[in-house]
Amino acid sequence: MTEQLFAIESEEFADFARLEGLSSFPTNLTSVHTIDCIGHYEPINNTSIAEKMNLSKASITKISTKLLEEGYIKRSQMNDNKKEVYFSLTPKGRQIFEVHARMHVIIENRFIDSMNDFSESELQAVLKFFQMIIQHKEKIANGEGEHGKREGE
């Protein structure tokens, strides 16, 4: 299911990027999300990108190398620490970042608009359902069983 969603979002981004007039853009959605992460937190190092994206440092190294080669990001070092490498966006990368952000605004607005199809009572039922799911997850996270007691009690 996740693979399908990634494929759909990747295709949607490609279509949107073309509509926005971009002739070149990363075809790998993880690369686009890496650009997004860098754009939000620049300058940012490899370790921080990996933590924020929940990926390995090796994966980020591979992705950032490709993004550097393609001219979407640039490397820099801070004056006080010559060992540490930081990434920031190039103008080409900034275009990808902005197109991706606009695409997400459109998707979010589409979702919000679709909420108008629900009546007030239906929305209340959905809200109650999600609150129940969250409470259930919190109980599991706290080690509580089905009846509110800790497992093994």
Side-chain angles (χ1 to χ4, degrees):
M1 184 68 170
T2 304
E3 298 279 326
Q4 287 173 319
L5 288 174
F6 245 50
I8 291 167
E9 187 178 352
S10 184
E11 195 57 42
E12 191 163 1
F13 177 76
D15 291 344
F16 190 74
R18 283 186 209 95
L19 282 173
E20 290 282 307
L22 294 181
S23 55
S24 72
F25 46 85
T27 55
N28 179 320
L29 197 57
T30 305
S31 294
V32 174
H33 287 150
T34 302
I35 289 171
D36 186 67
C37 181
I38 293 169
H40 277 100
Y41 301 102
E42 65 185 336
I44 185 170
N45 65 17
N46 201 45
T47 303
S48 296
I49 296 169
E51 287 171 1
K52 290 184 183 311
M53 293 186 64
N54 201 23
L55 293 171
S56 70
K57 287 195 283 187
S59 292
I60 296 302
T61 298
K62 184 177 174 185
I63 293 166
S64 62
T65 299
K66 190 167 173 61
L67 291 174
L68 278 163
E69 289 170 4
E70 295 173 346
Y72 295 110
I73 63 173
K74 60 187 175 191
R75 312 163 58 120
S76 62
Q77 294 170 310
M78 298 297 173
N79 291 333
D80 57 339
N81 184 352
K82 295 292 184 190
K83 273 181 19 178
E84 193 76 56
V85 173
Y86 289 85
F87 298 106
S88 54
L89 299 179
T90 63
K92 186 177 172 181
R94 175 76 41 203
Q95 282 185 308
I96 301 299
F97 174 77
E98 290 170 359
V99 166
H100 183 252
R102 283 195 297 272
M103 184 189 86
H104 273 279
V105 167
I106 289 169
I107 291 169
E108 287 167 19
N109 287 339
R110 198 182 307 151
F111 176 78
I112 291 167
D113 288 346
S114 69
M115 297 301 286
N116 291 328
D117 293 341
F118 290 91
S119 68
E120 184 66 30
S121 62
E122 288 171 327
L123 286 172
Q124 289 299 323
V126 169
L127 177 63
K128 185 175 180 179
F129 173 76
F130 281 122
Q131 288 171 333
M132 183 190 72
I133 295 288
I134 291 167
Q135 287 173 347
H136 184 70
K137 288 270 191 197
E138 287 172 351
K139 285 181 181 179
I140 290 171
N142 293 330
E144 296 177 18
E146 289 294 313
H147 304 290
K149 295 182 180 175
R150 292 205 168 270
E151 295 296 329
E153 285 184 1

